[in-house]
Amino acid sequence: MALLITDECISCGACLPECPNEAIFETRSDAEAKGNHVGDGQGVGDNIYIITHDRCTECVGHFDEPQCAAVCPVDNCCISDPAYPETTEVLLEKAKKLNPDKAIDAAKVWSGVRN
């Protein structure tokens, strides 16, 4: 499943450079302007950062944990989005498609992925 950023977001920007898939945007309108889908109710009012589910792989294939959550100074601000459940296999395939020139490691999976 993709991750989402909650209303607790303080818009610090720590997550932006950490995302290996460029799935995080400063505003909902920024993401949508680039053709990305944003989940219903996320980033309303353009006052919190958002994660687009079509680009989020939960860092599977890249890291052992989601990097947005790892660097976020707000506890439980980057959480699993229940609207977009995806298995490890789906996330790995998405990572390969989004990053054809990067090495994707199938062993890089965090415990929160629903299979």
Side-chain angles (χ1 to χ4, degrees):
M1 82 182 63
L3 301 177
L4 65 83
I5 297 174
T6 69
D7 292 342
E8 301 300 315
C9 177
I10 60 172
S11 300
C12 70
C15 57
L16 278 176
E18 301 304 319
C19 181
N21 302 308
E22 299 177 356
I24 302 173
F25 293 84
E26 288 186 43
T27 65
R28 179 184 185 99
S29 57
D30 286 346
E32 291 176 335
K34 293 188 175 156
N36 295 291
H37 179 265
V38 180
D40 292 338
Q42 294 179 28
V44 175
D46 280 344
N47 59 352
I48 64 167
Y49 284 37
I50 60 95
I51 299 174
T52 61
H53 80 273
D54 49 344
R55 297 195 63 83
C56 181
T57 64
E58 302 180 42
C59 290
V60 168
H62 299 283
F63 299 100
D64 292 327
E65 64 180 331
Q67 295 302 285
C68 55
V71 300
C72 185
V74 179
D75 289 338
N76 298 315
C77 186
C78 301
I79 62 171
S80 297
D81 186 341
Y84 300 102
E86 296 170 301
T87 64
T88 299
E89 292 77 25
V90 169
L91 294 170
L92 284 169
E93 285 305 311
K94 189 190 303 187
K96 290 175 187 174
K97 180 180 174 188
L98 290 169
N99 302 283
D101 298 329
K102 289 184 183 177
I104 302 300
D105 183 350
K108 300 282 185 177
V109 179
W110 69 294
S111 61
V113 175
R114 290 197 296 186
N115 287 309

XYZ file of all heavy atoms in Angstrom:
856
model
N 0.846 -1.174 0.000
C 0.000 0.000 0.000
C 0.884 1.227 0.000
O 2.024 1.178 0.413
C -0.933 -0.017 1.200
C -0.350 0.466 2.493
S -1.456 0.380 3.885
C -1.743 -1.338 4.019
N 0.386 2.261 -0.470
C 1.096 3.525 -0.440
C 1.045 4.082 0.981
O 0.258 3.635 1.808
C 0.454 4.501 -1.416
N 1.874 5.049 1.217
C 1.839 5.756 2.482
C 1.087 7.058 2.273
O 0.885 7.494 1.145
C 3.256 6.039 2.970
C 4.132 4.797 3.186
C 5.534 5.221 3.589
C 3.543 3.884 4.233
N 0.676 7.652 3.366
C 0.062 8.967 3.298
C 0.621 9.821 4.415
O 1.151 9.313 5.397
C -1.463 8.898 3.356
C -2.153 8.387 4.626
C -2.294 9.482 5.678
C -3.531 7.882 4.281
N 0.518 11.122 4.214
C 0.980 12.079 5.216
C -0.261 12.639 5.894
O -1.189 13.109 5.232
C 1.820 13.190 4.560
C 3.087 12.577 3.938
C 2.179 14.263 5.580
C 3.933 13.552 3.146
N -0.285 12.567 7.207
C -1.453 12.998 7.971
C -1.507 14.520 8.114
O -0.555 15.227 7.768
C -1.465 12.372 9.380
O -0.393 12.955 10.141
C -1.324 10.860 9.318
N -2.605 14.991 8.681
C -2.792 16.419 8.929
C -1.816 16.962 9.966
O -1.755 18.174 10.182
C -4.224 16.694 9.401
C -5.249 16.460 8.312
O -4.866 16.427 7.128
O -6.430 16.303 8.644
N -1.051 16.070 10.590
C -0.061 16.504 11.579
C 1.183 17.093 10.921
O 2.061 17.633 11.591
C 0.346 15.315 12.464
C -0.805 14.674 13.212
C -1.503 15.634 14.152
O -0.828 16.384 14.881
O -2.756 15.649 14.137
N 1.287 16.997 9.600
C 2.446 17.476 8.842
C 2.728 18.945 9.159
O 1.819 19.771 9.167
C 2.199 17.298 7.347
S 3.515 17.931 6.286
N 4.003 19.256 9.407
C 4.404 20.639 9.687
C 5.096 21.274 8.473
O 5.673 22.355 8.577
C 5.301 20.720 10.941
C 6.571 19.883 10.759
C 4.515 20.291 12.190
C 7.603 20.045 11.871
N 5.069 20.588 7.337
C 5.647 21.094 6.085
C 7.110 21.486 6.227
O 7.547 22.502 5.688
C 4.831 22.273 5.552
O 3.502 21.892 5.305
N 7.874 20.646 6.915
C 9.294 20.942 7.143
C 10.163 20.615 5.926
O 11.257 21.133 5.778
C 9.812 20.205 8.373
S 9.948 18.407 8.154
N 9.693 19.713 5.074
C 10.441 19.364 3.879
C 11.484 18.275 4.048
O 12.175 17.939 3.087
N 11.605 17.703 5.225
C 12.622 16.675 5.457
C 12.428 15.458 4.565
O 13.394 14.814 4.142
C 12.625 16.256 6.923
N 11.202 15.139 4.237
C 10.896 13.937 3.464
C 11.180 14.070 1.975
O 11.487 13.075 1.303
C 9.441 13.538 3.662
S 8.248 14.838 3.225
N 11.077 15.261 1.436
C 11.178 15.461 -0.012
C 12.431 14.829 -0.637
O 12.311 14.054 -1.583
C 11.118 16.940 -0.375
C 9.743 17.556 -0.451
C 9.841 19.044 -0.716
C 8.895 16.895 -1.504
N 13.622 15.142 -0.165
C 14.816 14.583 -0.816
C 15.054 13.108 -0.510
O 15.886 12.477 -1.161
C 15.958 15.443 -0.272
C 15.469 15.927 1.054
C 13.973 16.091 0.893
N 14.325 12.550 0.436
C 14.545 11.163 0.843
C 13.796 10.145 -0.003
O 14.162 8.979 -0.033
C 14.160 10.986 2.308
C 14.920 11.875 3.267
C 16.428 11.712 3.167
O 16.903 10.570 3.029
O 17.128 12.741 3.226
N 12.755 10.551 -0.693
C 11.918 9.619 -1.439
C 12.622 9.143 -2.706
O 12.921 9.957 -3.591
C 10.581 10.271 -1.795
S 9.485 9.155 -2.695
N 12.870 7.836 -2.835
C 13.569 7.328 -4.019
C 12.718 7.327 -5.283
O 13.239 7.150 -6.379
C 13.940 5.901 -3.615
C 12.883 5.503 -2.643
C 12.549 6.763 -1.884
N 11.425 7.550 -5.137
C 10.504 7.507 -6.275
C 9.905 8.863 -6.635
O 9.037 8.937 -7.498
C 9.357 6.536 -5.978
C 9.867 5.157 -5.684
O 10.628 4.591 -6.441
N 9.459 4.618 -4.543
N 10.340 9.909 -5.946
C 9.797 11.247 -6.152
C 8.272 11.240 -6.052
O 7.559 11.808 -6.885
C 10.271 11.821 -7.487
C 11.771 11.961 -7.549
C 12.288 12.455 -8.898
O 11.483 12.638 -9.841
O 13.507 12.664 -8.995
N 7.777 10.595 -5.008
C 6.343 10.454 -4.786
C 5.780 11.528 -3.868
O 4.569 11.614 -3.689
C 6.041 9.084 -4.194
N 6.631 12.359 -3.284
C 6.192 13.361 -2.315
C 6.198 14.737 -2.969
O 7.151 15.107 -3.654
C 7.091 13.351 -1.067
C 7.085 11.957 -0.429
C 6.641 14.420 -0.065
C 8.075 11.784 0.704
N 5.115 15.469 -2.734
C 4.974 16.811 -3.289
C 4.595 17.776 -2.180
O 3.969 17.393 -1.198
C 3.900 16.828 -4.372
C 4.285 16.035 -5.585
C 4.088 14.666 -5.623
C 4.868 16.654 -6.679
C 4.452 13.918 -6.732
C 5.244 15.914 -7.792
C 5.040 14.551 -7.823
N 4.977 19.047 -2.356
C 4.668 20.055 -1.345
C 3.182 20.313 -1.215
O 2.700 20.627 -0.135
C 5.394 21.359 -1.658
C 6.882 21.274 -1.404
C 7.568 22.617 -1.583
O 7.022 23.640 -1.124
O 8.655 22.626 -2.172
N 2.455 20.205 -2.324
C 1.020 20.471 -2.285
C 0.281 19.487 -3.182
O 0.855 18.897 -4.105
C 0.680 21.891 -2.769
O 1.017 22.012 -4.150
C 1.390 22.962 -1.957
N -0.974 19.332 -2.921
C -1.836 18.492 -3.749
C -1.848 18.999 -5.196
O -1.753 18.230 -6.142
C -3.250 18.492 -3.162
C -4.243 17.667 -3.950
C -5.657 17.776 -3.380
N -6.524 16.879 -4.098
C -6.886 15.668 -3.669
N -6.482 15.240 -2.493
N -7.660 14.907 -4.402
N -1.954 20.315 -5.361
C -2.013 20.869 -6.719
C -0.712 20.640 -7.481
O -0.745 20.430 -8.694
C -2.404 22.345 -6.697
O -1.525 23.100 -5.908
N 0.433 20.663 -6.798
C 1.712 20.349 -7.456
C 1.699 18.924 -8.003
O 2.112 18.678 -9.127
C 2.896 20.463 -6.482
C 3.273 21.890 -6.155
O 2.822 22.823 -6.854
O 4.029 22.074 -5.183
N 1.235 17.995 -7.192
C 1.186 16.589 -7.607
C 0.231 16.388 -8.765
O 0.560 15.720 -9.748
C 0.782 15.706 -6.429
N -0.939 16.976 -8.661
C -1.939 16.807 -9.712
C -1.520 17.492 -11.010
O -1.810 16.994 -12.101
C -3.294 17.314 -9.228
C -3.869 16.432 -8.133
C -5.171 16.926 -7.537
O -5.441 18.151 -7.588
O -5.916 16.081 -7.035
N -0.818 18.605 -10.911
C -0.342 19.306 -12.104
C 0.652 18.455 -12.895
O 0.793 18.618 -14.100
C 0.300 20.634 -11.715
N 1.316 17.544 -12.212
C 2.271 16.650 -12.873
C 1.636 15.310 -13.242
O 2.329 14.356 -13.551
C 3.488 16.453 -11.989
C 4.277 17.735 -11.852
C 5.576 17.575 -11.153
C 6.288 18.918 -11.203
N 7.235 19.097 -10.161
N 0.301 15.250 -13.191
C -0.415 14.062 -13.630
C -0.509 12.942 -12.616
O -0.852 11.821 -12.962
N -0.232 13.225 -11.361
C -0.299 12.205 -10.311
C -1.647 12.226 -9.618
O -2.267 13.276 -9.458
C 0.802 12.443 -9.277
C 2.172 12.261 -9.865
O 2.568 11.157 -10.207
N 2.912 13.345 -10.010
N -2.078 11.046 -9.175
C -3.331 10.927 -8.442
C -3.061 11.106 -6.959
O -2.101 10.571 -6.425
C -3.961 9.552 -8.686
C -5.233 9.355 -7.941
N -5.271 8.736 -6.715
C -6.506 9.727 -8.222
C -6.526 8.725 -6.282
N -7.284 9.320 -7.182
N -3.927 11.844 -6.308
C -3.846 12.049 -4.860
C -5.115 11.484 -4.254
O -6.211 11.716 -4.758
C -3.701 13.549 -4.521
C -3.629 13.749 -3.012
C -2.472 14.136 -5.195
N -4.976 10.737 -3.172
C -6.121 10.121 -2.514
C -7.138 11.137 -2.032
O -6.796 12.275 -1.702
N -8.396 10.716 -2.002
C -9.477 11.579 -1.536
C -9.186 12.096 -0.133
O -8.788 11.337 0.749
C -10.801 10.818 -1.528
C -11.281 10.489 -2.931
O -10.853 11.175 -3.884
O -12.086 9.554 -3.076
N -9.363 13.369 0.064
C -9.189 13.976 1.375
C -7.762 14.283 1.761
O -7.520 14.846 2.820
N -6.778 13.946 0.911
C -5.380 14.200 1.241
C -4.922 15.536 0.667
O -5.232 15.875 -0.461
C -4.496 13.084 0.705
C -4.758 11.762 1.367
C -3.877 10.663 0.807
O -2.780 10.911 0.339
N -4.370 9.452 0.840
N -4.197 16.287 1.462
C -3.649 17.550 0.999
C -4.690 18.606 0.690
O -4.438 19.531 -0.067
N -5.853 18.478 1.297
C -6.916 19.449 1.047
C -6.473 20.814 1.561
O -5.987 20.937 2.677
C -8.232 19.004 1.719
C -9.306 20.070 1.571
C -8.698 17.684 1.130
N -6.625 21.805 0.714
C -6.231 23.156 1.093
C -4.761 23.440 0.848
O -4.281 24.521 1.144
N -4.043 22.466 0.301
C -2.625 22.639 -0.010
C -1.798 23.090 1.188
O -0.879 23.891 1.051
C -2.448 23.626 -1.167
C -2.684 22.984 -2.519
O -2.682 21.741 -2.598
O -2.864 23.727 -3.491
N -2.119 22.580 2.389
C -1.366 23.012 3.558
C -0.487 21.915 4.154
O 0.189 22.171 5.144
C -2.310 23.584 4.622
C -3.355 22.577 5.073
O -3.487 21.502 4.506
N -4.100 22.932 6.095
N -0.508 20.716 3.565
C 0.393 19.657 4.028
C 0.992 18.970 2.815
O 0.436 19.010 1.726
C -0.305 18.610 4.921
C -1.381 17.852 4.146
C -0.863 19.219 6.180
C -1.888 16.622 4.861
N 2.148 18.380 3.009
C 2.774 17.611 1.936
C 1.925 16.380 1.651
O 1.168 15.930 2.502
C 4.176 17.186 2.362
C 5.197 18.295 2.297
C 4.897 19.605 2.637
C 6.497 18.023 1.887
C 5.832 20.607 2.571
C 7.451 19.031 1.822
C 7.108 20.317 2.164
O 8.048 21.308 2.086
N 2.057 15.850 0.443
C 1.281 14.671 0.084
C 2.177 13.638 -0.600
O 3.224 13.963 -1.147
C 0.061 15.009 -0.811
C 0.471 15.670 -2.132
C -0.910 15.914 -0.090
C 0.594 14.681 -3.220
N 1.723 12.388 -0.531
C 2.388 11.278 -1.210
C 1.412 10.760 -2.254
O 0.258 10.465 -1.938
C 2.744 10.152 -0.222
C 3.713 10.671 0.844
C 3.348 8.960 -0.970
C 4.002 9.676 1.955
N 1.869 10.645 -3.487
C 1.008 10.103 -4.534
C 1.112 8.585 -4.524
O 2.212 8.032 -4.544
C 1.399 10.635 -5.927
O 2.722 10.247 -6.228
C 1.282 12.138 -5.973
N -0.035 7.912 -4.490
C -0.014 6.453 -4.365
C 0.529 5.775 -5.613
O 1.075 4.682 -5.531
C -1.398 5.916 -3.995
C -2.339 5.800 -5.144
N -3.118 6.839 -5.559
C -2.588 4.776 -5.972
C -3.828 6.453 -6.594
N -3.531 5.211 -6.876
N 0.428 6.417 -6.759
C 0.923 5.782 -7.975
C 2.447 5.775 -8.061
O 3.016 5.030 -8.854
C 0.302 6.407 -9.228
C 0.345 7.915 -9.261
O 0.576 8.547 -8.224
O 0.130 8.484 -10.353
N 3.118 6.562 -7.251
C 4.592 6.577 -7.249
C 5.192 5.997 -5.966
O 6.380 5.718 -5.908
C 5.113 7.998 -7.452
C 4.732 8.598 -8.805
C 5.547 9.823 -9.118
N 6.965 9.547 -9.236
C 7.573 9.087 -10.337
N 6.871 8.842 -11.417
N 8.869 8.878 -10.339
N 4.381 5.817 -4.929
C 4.896 5.328 -3.644
C 5.055 3.809 -3.653
O 4.117 3.077 -3.951
C 3.966 5.733 -2.505
S 4.544 5.191 -0.881
N 6.248 3.357 -3.300
C 6.511 1.919 -3.150
C 6.827 1.579 -1.698
O 7.332 0.493 -1.416
C 7.684 1.459 -4.041
O 8.883 2.119 -3.612
C 7.415 1.744 -5.505
N 6.552 2.517 -0.799
C 6.867 2.345 0.625
C 8.358 2.073 0.817
O 8.775 1.453 1.781
C 6.036 1.225 1.246
C 4.556 1.444 1.135
C 3.747 0.331 1.754
O 4.115 -0.150 2.839
O 2.730 -0.042 1.146
N 9.149 2.493 -0.146
C 10.610 2.301 -0.177
C 11.016 0.843 -0.345
O 12.195 0.501 -0.239
C 11.300 2.924 1.030
S 11.260 4.739 0.980
N 10.047 -0.052 -0.613
C 10.352 -1.455 -0.890
C 11.280 -1.502 -2.100
O 11.074 -0.808 -3.090
C 9.060 -2.266 -1.141
C 9.358 -3.627 -1.719
C 8.274 -2.398 0.155
N 12.317 -2.321 -1.992
C 13.303 -2.437 -3.052
C 14.456 -1.460 -2.908
O 15.496 -1.617 -3.534
N 14.265 -0.439 -2.065
C 15.276 0.593 -1.863
C 15.860 0.581 -0.452
O 17.061 0.686 -0.275
C 14.696 1.983 -2.129
C 14.188 2.189 -3.516
N 15.006 2.418 -4.590
C 12.918 2.209 -4.001
C 14.273 2.574 -5.683
N 13.003 2.446 -5.354
N 14.969 0.513 0.550
C 15.380 0.632 1.950
C 14.592 -0.353 2.812
O 13.581 -0.885 2.380
C 15.129 2.056 2.473
C 15.884 3.116 1.729
C 15.253 3.877 0.753
C 17.223 3.360 1.987
C 15.939 4.859 0.054
C 17.924 4.331 1.300
C 17.285 5.084 0.324
N 15.056 -0.547 4.042
C 14.399 -1.446 4.987
C 13.233 -0.791 5.730
O 12.579 -1.430 6.545
C 15.402 -1.973 6.016
C 16.422 -2.897 5.395
O 16.077 -3.612 4.435
O 17.572 -2.904 5.872
N 13.000 0.480 5.477
C 11.893 1.196 6.094
C 11.555 2.401 5.224
O 12.416 2.893 4.481
C 12.229 1.647 7.515
C 13.360 2.667 7.585
C 13.691 3.105 8.997
O 12.800 3.104 9.860
O 14.845 3.460 9.232
N 10.334 2.883 5.284
C 9.979 4.070 4.519
C 10.806 5.269 4.989
O 10.810 5.603 6.175
C 8.503 4.273 4.824
C 8.014 2.940 5.272
C 9.183 2.314 5.983
N 11.486 5.888 4.060
C 12.377 6.985 4.421
C 11.640 8.241 4.864
O 12.142 8.979 5.709
C 13.309 7.296 3.250
C 14.248 6.148 2.941
C 15.116 5.761 4.120
O 16.060 6.464 4.445
N 14.796 4.654 4.776
N 10.454 8.480 4.332
C 9.704 9.659 4.769
C 9.408 9.565 6.262
O 9.583 10.532 7.006
C 8.423 9.836 3.959
S 7.324 8.405 3.945
N 8.988 8.396 6.705
C 8.682 8.195 8.123
C 9.947 8.239 8.969
O 9.931 8.739 10.098
C 7.955 6.871 8.319
N 11.045 7.720 8.425
C 12.303 7.673 9.179
C 12.854 9.064 9.475
O 13.431 9.291 10.536
C 13.336 6.856 8.416
N 12.670 10.014 8.553
C 13.234 11.355 8.753
C 12.236 12.362 9.298
O 12.621 13.453 9.702
C 13.857 11.907 7.450
C 14.974 11.003 6.972
C 12.821 12.133 6.376
N 10.965 12.010 9.323
C 9.943 12.938 9.765
C 10.075 13.239 11.261
O 10.153 12.320 12.079
C 8.543 12.371 9.481
S 7.225 13.536 9.888
N 10.076 14.526 11.639
C 10.183 14.871 13.058
C 8.868 14.704 13.827
O 8.861 14.811 15.053
C 10.608 16.342 13.031
C 10.042 16.868 11.758
C 10.105 15.715 10.786
N 7.777 14.416 13.110
C 6.465 14.258 13.747
C 6.130 12.772 13.817
O 6.111 12.087 12.795
C 5.371 15.014 12.963
C 4.013 14.823 13.619
C 5.713 16.493 12.834
N 5.882 12.256 15.004
C 5.534 10.844 15.173
C 4.250 10.505 14.438
O 3.265 11.249 14.500
C 5.362 10.497 16.653
C 6.683 10.497 17.407
O 7.745 10.346 16.769
O 6.642 10.653 18.645
N 4.261 9.365 13.758
C 3.085 8.833 13.052
C 2.478 9.819 12.062
O 1.270 9.856 11.878
C 2.030 8.359 14.048
C 2.559 7.243 14.909
O 3.177 6.319 14.408
N 2.326 7.335 16.208
N 3.316 10.596 11.389
C 2.842 11.534 10.370
C 2.787 10.854 9.003
O 1.914 11.153 8.203
C 3.763 12.750 10.327
S 3.188 14.066 9.238
N 3.712 9.934 8.734
C 3.735 9.172 7.482
C 3.295 7.756 7.826
O 4.016 7.014 8.483
C 5.137 9.161 6.884
S 5.777 10.806 6.523
N 2.083 7.408 7.393
C 1.483 6.133 7.783
C 0.985 5.375 6.552
O 0.849 5.943 5.477
C 0.324 6.350 8.773
C -0.798 7.176 8.127
C 0.826 7.002 10.071
C -2.077 7.265 8.945
N 0.700 4.109 6.723
C 0.139 3.299 5.646
C -1.239 3.811 5.267
O -2.050 4.130 6.125
C 0.024 1.837 6.077
O 1.297 1.311 6.334
N -1.488 3.886 3.971
C -2.775 4.344 3.469
C -3.657 3.119 3.245
O -3.417 2.351 2.322
C -2.582 5.105 2.159
C -3.858 5.749 1.648
O -4.951 5.333 2.086
O -3.757 6.654 0.811
N -4.677 2.915 4.051
C -5.512 1.729 3.918
C -6.291 1.668 2.604
O -6.758 0.604 2.210
C -6.460 1.811 5.116
C -6.466 3.243 5.506
C -5.119 3.800 5.135
N -6.398 2.785 1.901
C -7.135 2.801 0.637
C -6.353 2.155 -0.502
O -6.927 1.843 -1.537
C -7.503 4.235 0.269
N -5.039 1.969 -0.326
C -4.210 1.442 -1.399
C -3.321 0.301 -0.907
O -2.101 0.434 -0.858
C -3.349 2.563 -2.009
C -4.193 3.669 -2.580
C -4.378 4.859 -1.886
C -4.847 3.512 -3.794
C -5.180 5.870 -2.402
C -5.651 4.507 -4.317
C -5.812 5.681 -3.617
O -6.611 6.662 -4.122
N -3.906 -0.841 -0.568
C -3.088 -1.977 -0.126
C -2.379 -2.625 -1.313
O -2.981 -2.848 -2.367
C -4.110 -2.934 0.491
C -5.382 -2.614 -0.222
C -5.329 -1.139 -0.532
N -1.084 -2.879 -1.160
C -0.307 -3.540 -2.208
C 0.635 -4.546 -1.565
O 1.164 -4.300 -0.484
C 0.496 -2.513 -3.010
C -0.388 -1.541 -3.769
C 0.373 -0.390 -4.363
O 1.024 0.344 -3.602
O 0.310 -0.221 -5.594
N 0.867 -5.649 -2.238
C 1.774 -6.677 -1.728
C 3.219 -6.306 -2.040
O 3.487 -5.418 -2.858
C 1.476 -8.041 -2.378
O 1.752 -7.934 -3.780
C 0.039 -8.477 -2.135
N 4.124 -7.022 -1.427
C 5.549 -6.824 -1.680
C 5.851 -6.962 -3.169
O 6.581 -6.147 -3.742
C 6.388 -7.841 -0.874
O 6.137 -7.640 0.518
C 7.868 -7.677 -1.152
N 5.277 -7.972 -3.802
C 5.544 -8.206 -5.227
C 5.093 -7.024 -6.079
O 5.795 -6.589 -6.989
C 4.865 -9.496 -5.700
C 5.450 -10.760 -5.109
C 5.010 -11.015 -3.658
O 3.926 -10.533 -3.240
O 5.772 -11.673 -2.933
N 3.928 -6.488 -5.792
C 3.409 -5.342 -6.541
C 4.305 -4.118 -6.326
O 4.640 -3.393 -7.268
C 1.948 -5.033 -6.144
C 1.481 -3.707 -6.709
C 1.037 -6.159 -6.585
N 4.714 -3.900 -5.080
C 5.574 -2.759 -4.771
C 6.939 -2.890 -5.443
O 7.489 -1.904 -5.951
C 5.717 -2.599 -3.260
C 4.432 -2.208 -2.526
C 4.628 -2.309 -1.025
C 3.979 -0.814 -2.919
N 7.489 -4.102 -5.475
C 8.772 -4.324 -6.151
C 8.661 -4.062 -7.649
O 9.540 -3.436 -8.247
C 9.286 -5.737 -5.899
C 9.898 -5.997 -4.530
C 10.113 -7.492 -4.305
C 11.214 -5.240 -4.377
N 7.591 -4.520 -8.257
C 7.391 -4.283 -9.691
C 7.238 -2.791 -9.978
O 7.763 -2.276 -10.962
C 6.186 -5.065 -10.213
C 6.458 -6.543 -10.370
C 7.669 -6.827 -11.253
O 7.767 -6.267 -12.360
O 8.542 -7.608 -10.819
N 6.512 -2.100 -9.107
C 6.340 -0.660 -9.280
C 7.693 0.044 -9.150
O 8.010 0.947 -9.930
C 5.354 -0.113 -8.248
C 4.960 1.336 -8.512
C 4.179 1.996 -7.393
C 2.919 1.330 -6.979
N 2.151 2.147 -6.000
N 8.511 -0.378 -8.172
C 9.838 0.218 -7.976
C 10.709 0.021 -9.218
O 11.408 0.941 -9.651
C 10.515 -0.390 -6.749
N 10.652 -1.161 -9.803
C 11.433 -1.428 -11.019
C 10.967 -0.562 -12.177
O 11.777 -0.030 -12.934
C 11.323 -2.910 -11.391
C 12.046 -3.827 -10.429
C 11.788 -5.287 -10.785
C 12.369 -6.198 -9.727
N 12.013 -7.606 -9.953
N 9.668 -0.413 -12.317
C 9.105 0.385 -13.408
C 9.463 1.867 -13.250
O 9.804 2.541 -14.218
C 7.592 0.206 -13.451
C 6.916 0.983 -14.549
C 5.417 0.754 -14.526
C 4.726 1.657 -15.540
N 3.292 1.614 -15.427
N 9.374 2.366 -12.018
C 9.653 3.772 -11.765
C 11.144 4.101 -11.828
O 11.513 5.251 -12.063
C 9.114 4.180 -10.391
C 7.605 4.234 -10.244
C 7.219 4.390 -8.776
C 7.025 5.361 -11.087
N 11.980 3.096 -11.585
C 13.427 3.303 -11.489
C 14.186 2.302 -12.358
O 14.944 1.482 -11.843
C 13.876 3.155 -10.031
C 13.162 4.112 -9.118
O 13.466 5.284 -9.063
N 12.169 3.608 -8.396
N 14.003 2.351 -13.667
C 14.625 1.342 -14.524
C 16.153 1.336 -14.486
O 16.770 0.314 -14.798
C 14.112 1.700 -15.925
C 13.720 3.128 -15.839
C 13.261 3.350 -14.426
N 16.762 2.428 -14.072
C 18.225 2.499 -14.038
C 18.820 2.261 -12.648
O 20.033 2.348 -12.471
C 18.689 3.864 -14.565
C 18.273 4.083 -16.005
O 18.183 3.091 -16.755
O 18.022 5.247 -16.372
N 17.973 1.986 -11.659
C 18.449 1.734 -10.294
C 18.356 0.257 -9.976
O 17.474 -0.443 -10.456
C 17.598 2.497 -9.261
C 17.789 3.981 -9.255
C 16.968 4.596 -8.131
C 17.057 6.094 -8.113
N 16.208 6.679 -7.059
N 19.267 -0.195 -9.133
C 19.207 -1.578 -8.648
C 18.107 -1.663 -7.593
O 18.080 -0.888 -6.641
C 20.542 -1.989 -8.054
N 17.188 -2.595 -7.780
C 16.097 -2.819 -6.824
C 16.389 -4.128 -6.107
O 16.579 -5.163 -6.736
C 14.734 -2.887 -7.546
C 14.471 -1.605 -8.345
C 13.613 -3.171 -6.572
C 14.427 -0.327 -7.528
N 16.456 -4.068 -4.782
C 16.810 -5.223 -3.955
C 15.545 -5.820 -3.339
O 14.924 -5.203 -2.478
C 17.788 -4.785 -2.875
C 18.282 -5.917 -1.997
O 17.743 -7.046 -2.076
O 19.215 -5.669 -1.212
N 15.184 -7.014 -3.769
C 13.963 -7.670 -3.275
C 14.016 -7.961 -1.776
O 12.982 -8.203 -1.154
C 13.719 -8.961 -4.043
N 15.193 -7.906 -1.177
C 15.323 -8.143 0.263
C 15.013 -6.890 1.084
O 14.846 -6.959 2.296
C 16.730 -8.635 0.590
N 14.908 -5.745 0.433
C 14.625 -4.485 1.131
C 13.116 -4.312 1.259
O 12.443 -3.757 0.397
C 15.218 -3.299 0.369
C 16.706 -3.357 0.198
C 17.387 -2.947 1.451
C 18.894 -2.902 1.202
N 19.613 -2.456 2.345
N 12.571 -4.842 2.341
C 11.137 -4.806 2.618
C 10.958 -4.525 4.102
O 11.628 -5.132 4.924
C 10.463 -6.134 2.239
C 8.977 -6.100 2.560
C 10.675 -6.460 0.774
N 10.060 -3.654 4.456
C 9.829 -3.374 5.867
C 8.661 -4.200 6.394
O 7.858 -4.741 5.634
C 9.645 -1.887 6.106
C 8.401 -1.257 5.584
C 8.046 -1.102 4.266
C 7.335 -0.703 6.337
N 6.836 -0.463 4.171
C 6.375 -0.208 5.420
C 7.104 -0.554 7.703
C 5.201 0.412 5.831
C 5.939 0.071 8.093
C 5.012 0.551 7.186
N 8.539 -4.296 7.685
C 7.560 -5.172 8.323
C 6.118 -4.691 8.154
O 5.189 -5.470 8.363
C 7.856 -5.316 9.814
O 7.791 -4.035 10.455
N 5.907 -3.456 7.752
C 4.551 -2.927 7.621
C 3.864 -3.248 6.308
O 2.685 -2.950 6.153
N 4.564 -3.861 5.362
C 3.958 -4.185 4.074
C 2.942 -5.294 4.284
O 3.227 -6.301 4.931
C 5.024 -4.630 3.046
C 4.362 -5.081 1.763
C 5.990 -3.502 2.764
N 1.747 -5.098 3.727
C 0.711 -6.136 3.864
C 0.821 -7.119 2.701
O 0.837 -6.732 1.541
C -0.686 -5.501 3.840
C -0.969 -4.710 5.087
C -2.436 -4.445 5.248
N -2.953 -3.610 4.170
C -4.189 -3.139 4.157
N -5.008 -3.408 5.139
N -4.605 -2.404 3.158
N 0.944 -8.367 3.031
C 1.015 -9.423 2.013
C -0.134 -10.371 2.136
O -0.801 -10.476 3.077
C 2.329 -10.178 2.130
C 3.485 -9.337 1.627
O 3.446 -8.794 0.536
N 4.517 -9.220 2.427
